[in-house]
């Protein structure tokens, strides 16, 4: 009997070969939660699911980038050895456990002698950055995920060109995807003015030398003359660069030894992208404010998920109150468990999210977590006046974390991020004031009313949640 090799039969055989191969291959190379989502997609649509998994299923980086990150971390550890007098040693509490964890993962020791000013006003933060660039005398280093071709992009470009004309060494690192419009508009005039411009994680035909196509450098930081730095959630764009959703952000302007650590993060990304080694700044003037800080870099080039581990450790170490502010909340199982345990243990857990969101699928997915969180006592507030793009958390009265880290799987596992940890009651008190202002302009989610939402919304949330590893 002649076998039936009709197109339908061949397609059926290929479908099942893909399904069985995916079942044997994907779970061994992907985390269980992500593997379930990918297997579901491959099971339903094999011919689409397999190529998507090959492109987006594993957060791989090129071997060269991973090796360079390891070299950067080793250099950071070695360069800090002569600066032991700047090390801050916690005398107990949560900081006693947090500081060693963050140092072992991200390489940066906690330092004393810093000043931290929290800038909650969008335009004031832009103005402060422009003023610092205009006062620069030696060098300006900017590393940003997004630079838009708008009034802020024009102003930053003009400030960099003025600085370069004064003989200041200016370098600009921009994410190849997030800053696509800014690179297209400003790269040529900046280079003509003498500013060194490079894109991070370029795609196209070069993606094999970078990594998985959707991995991004999401950091936002600036270092000027080694005397001050800026780090936070704010990009180089107008507050209304997304029409109808004006952003509200939080940026820290810092002085002291932490500035040299920000410089090291920039130099590390510069080296990973270009292969060029920049000199490490050793001049670390101690500031009278004497705030203890520590940098938390994270990303797929590190052996651990630094951001996720730090956030979860902070949640577990809280004894009285945690406030978490994020525009995107699509956590993994470990973070959900940490929040549940904290709330059930009697810790006041307050989650502040944005009522409006520029990513619809993400908004639907994060709503799927509300039932479980509300049931165990987590308070959820939806901020209404703006798109709350700020990313920070405060723990009890002594620890604050802010930067570019979202509380989602993408930020934990796929993006290069930067966080600033402040072990200081004064900084936490200032952050509490900002959080209180958020809450005054937020709508508290009522558990009883939330459970009355229609069934079609529950279904939409559940379907969107299946794509959590891609968000």
């Amino acid at each position: 009997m002649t076998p039936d090799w009709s197109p339908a039969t061949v397609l059926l055989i290929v479908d099942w070969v893909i399904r069985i191969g995916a079942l044997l291959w994907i779970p061994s190379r992907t985390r269980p939660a992500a593997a379930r989502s990918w297997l579901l997609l491959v099971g339903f649509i094999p011919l689409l699911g397999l190529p998507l998994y090959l492109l987006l299923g594993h957060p791989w980086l090129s071997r060269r980038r991973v090796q360079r990150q390891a070299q950067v971390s080793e250099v950071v550890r070695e360069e800090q050895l002569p600066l032991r007098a700047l090390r801050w040693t916690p005398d107990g509490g949560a900081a006693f456990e947090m500081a060693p964890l963050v140092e072992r993962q991200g390489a940066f020791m906690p330092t004393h002698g810093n000043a931290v000013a929290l800038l909650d006003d969008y335009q004031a933060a832009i103005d402060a950055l422009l003023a610092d660039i205009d006062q620069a005398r030696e060098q300006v280093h900017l590393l940003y995920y997004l630079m838009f071709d708008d009034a802020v992009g024009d102003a930053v470009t003009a400030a960099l060109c003025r600085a370069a004309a004064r003989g200041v060494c200016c370098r600009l690192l921009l994410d190849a995807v997030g800053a696509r419009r800014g690179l297209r508009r400003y790269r040529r005039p900046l280079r003509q003015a003498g500013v060194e411009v490079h894109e991070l994680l370029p795609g196209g035909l070069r993606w094999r030398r970078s990594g998985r196509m959707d991995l991004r450098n999401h950091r936002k930081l600036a270092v000027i003359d080694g005397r001050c730095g800026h780090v936070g959630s704010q990009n180089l764009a107008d507050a209304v660069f997304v029409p109808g959703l004006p952003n509200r952000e939080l940026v820290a302007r810092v002085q002291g030894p932490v500035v040299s650590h920000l410089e090291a993060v920039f130099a590390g990304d510069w080296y990973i992208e270009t292969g060029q080694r920049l000199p490490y700044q050793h001049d670390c003037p101690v500031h009278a404010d004497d705030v203890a800080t520590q940098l938390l870099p994270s990303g797929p080039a590190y052996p651990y998920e630094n951001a996720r581990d730090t956030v979860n450790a902070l949640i577990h170490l809280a004894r009285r109150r945690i406030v978490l502010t994020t525009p995107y909340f699509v956590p993994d199982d470990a973070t959900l468990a940490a929040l549940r345990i904290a709330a059930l243990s009697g810790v006041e857990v307050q989650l502040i999210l944005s009522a409006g969101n520029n990513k619809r699928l993400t908004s639907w997915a994060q709503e799927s977590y509300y039932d479980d969180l509300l049931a165990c006592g987590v308070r959820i507030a939806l901020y209404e006046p703006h798109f709350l793009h700020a990313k920070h958390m405060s723990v009890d009265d002594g620890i604050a974390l802010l930067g570019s880290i979202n509380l989602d799987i993408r930020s934990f596992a796929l993006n290069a991020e930067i966080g600033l940890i402040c072990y200081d009651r004064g900084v936490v008190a200032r952050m509490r004031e900002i959080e209180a202002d958020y809450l005054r302009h937020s709508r508290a989610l009522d558990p009883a009313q939330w459970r009355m939402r229609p069934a079609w919304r529950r279904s939409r949330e559940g379907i969107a949640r299946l794509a959590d590893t891609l968000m």
Side-chain angles (χ1 to χ4, degrees):
M1 182 176 179
T2 304
D4 178 12
W5 293 109
S6 65
T9 301
V10 172
L11 182 61
L12 180 64
I13 293 173
V14 170
D15 275 3
W16 277 103
V17 168
I18 291 174
R19 289 187 178 102
I20 295 171
L23 184 63
L24 297 174
W25 187 43
I26 291 178
S28 66
R29 290 164 172 81
T30 312
R31 293 181 305 173
R36 285 191 292 270
S37 298
W38 283 110
L39 288 173
L40 183 63
L41 178 61
V42 173
F44 271 107
I45 319 173
L47 294 179
L48 174 64
L50 179 62
L52 279 178
Y53 176 78
L54 294 175
L55 287 174
L56 305 174
H58 183 65
W60 67 272
L61 275 174
S62 68
R63 183 176 302 175
R64 183 178 68 176
R65 287 178 179 268
V66 174
Q67 291 173 343
R68 285 184 175 179
Q69 179 60 69
Q71 293 169 6
V72 167
S73 296
E74 187 59 33
V75 169
V76 167
R77 292 186 177 95
E78 292 175 355
E79 295 288 350
Q80 290 179 111
L81 291 177
L83 307 176
R84 285 189 290 268
L86 297 173
R87 175 183 288 275
W88 175 75
T89 303
D91 56 6
F96 186 78
E97 298 185 48
M98 284 307 308
L101 169 66
V102 175
E103 183 172 0
R104 291 187 185 111
Q105 290 192 320
F108 290 102
M109 68 181 183
T111 61
H112 67 86
N114 301 288
V116 178
L118 299 184
L119 306 178
D120 180 42
D121 180 271
Y122 195 102
Q123 189 57 48
I126 293 294
D127 291 343
L129 175 61
L130 294 174
D132 284 333
I133 295 174
D134 281 334
Q135 293 173 17
R137 293 294 175 264
E138 297 178 8
Q139 66 182 27
V140 174
H141 287 166
L142 304 183
L143 163 58
Y144 281 86
Y145 168 70
L146 186 149
M147 185 176 185
F148 220 57
D149 53 348
D150 56 19
V152 170
D154 291 346
V156 172
T157 298
L160 289 172
C161 291
R162 289 194 299 270
R166 297 193 304 272
V168 176
C169 177
C170 298
R171 297 184 177 97
L172 176 64
L173 282 174
L174 295 171
D175 184 80
V177 173
R180 183 187 296 113
R181 290 179 59 164
L183 284 163
R184 184 167 58 240
R185 177 163 174 174
Y186 302 120
R187 177 162 35 196
R188 179 175 295 178
L190 283 169
R191 286 180 171 171
Q192 289 174 345
V195 179
E196 296 184 64
V197 182
H198 285 283
E199 56 183 346
L200 293 157
L201 293 165
L205 297 176
R206 294 171 289 176
W207 73 277
R208 290 287 303 178
R209 290 184 292 171
S210 298
R212 183 173 132 176
M213 294 179 69
D214 66 332
L215 299 185
R216 305 280 28 110
N217 192 310
H218 193 242
R219 294 169 179 159
K220 304 140 176 69
L221 64 91
V223 186
I224 292 90
D225 282 350
R227 62 176 174 82
C228 70
H230 297 246
V231 59
S233 62
Q234 190 164 330
N235 287 294
L236 302 179
D238 282 336
V240 291
F241 76 94
V242 177
L245 286 171
N247 283 25
R248 185 169 180 180
E249 311 281 1
L250 186 63
V251 174
R253 184 181 183 274
V254 297
Q255 296 171 278
V258 69
V259 177
S260 69
H261 288 179
L262 286 172
E263 184 70 54
V265 173
F266 179 92
D269 278 350
W270 188 271
Y271 171 66
I272 290 170
E273 198 60 53
T274 70
Q276 178 187 3
R277 296 177 183 267
L278 301 179
Y280 186 83
Q281 295 287 334
H282 288 282
D283 185 16
C284 304
V286 173
H287 199 277
D289 284 5
D290 202 29
V291 174
T293 68
Q294 189 173 23
L295 278 193
L296 170 67
S298 65
Y302 287 89
Y304 306 105
E305 293 185 10
N306 299 355
R308 183 200 64 179
D309 293 348
T310 297
V311 168
N312 290 350
L314 284 170
I315 295 171
H316 283 301
L317 290 169
R319 293 296 174 262
R320 294 180 300 281
R321 188 173 190 234
I322 317 165
V323 182
L324 305 102
T325 303
T326 182
Y328 310 118
F329 181 75
V330 186
D332 61 5
D333 291 341
T335 306
L336 277 176
L339 291 169
R340 182 177 66 250
I341 291 168
L344 293 175
S345 298
V347 176
E348 180 187 339
V349 181
Q350 176 70 67
L351 187 61
I352 305 176
L353 307 172
S354 186
N357 198 304
N358 63 347
K359 296 182 179 180
R360 186 167 297 178
L361 186 64
T362 299
S363 179
W364 295 342
Q366 75 180 27
E367 289 175 353
S368 71
Y369 298 94
Y370 293 171
D371 274 329
D372 292 341
L373 293 171
L374 292 168
C376 63
V378 174
R379 301 176 182 178
I380 301 175
L382 302 179
Y383 179 79
E384 296 184 314
H386 305 88
F387 175 42
L388 186 57
H389 190 251
K391 314 149 196 301
H392 51 86
M393 65 184 295
S394 58
V395 180
D396 296 330
D397 298 320
I399 302 180
L401 167 64
L402 72 147
S404 66
I405 302 166
N406 295 308
L407 297 182
D408 63 4
I409 296 172
R410 163 162 291 282
S411 202
F412 288 165
L414 304 180
N415 290 342
E417 306 281 9
I418 186 68
L420 173 70
I421 303 176
C422 301
Y423 305 100
D424 184 83
R425 287 179 173 271
V427 174
V428 174
R430 169 64 179 136
M431 186 173 284
R432 293 286 196 214
E433 293 175 358
I434 295 169
E435 293 163 349
D437 187 68
Y438 294 161
L439 293 172
R440 281 192 294 270
H441 297 89
S442 297
R443 169 172 52 89
L445 206 60
D446 179 78
Q449 290 183 350
W450 178 250
R451 295 187 188 102
M452 293 174 62
R453 69 196 186 283
W456 65 266
R457 286 190 59 179
R458 296 174 183 269
S459 298
R460 182 181 69 181
E461 295 160 9
I463 294 171
R465 185 168 172 171
L466 294 174
D468 58 1
T469 57
L470 299 177
M471 296 178 189

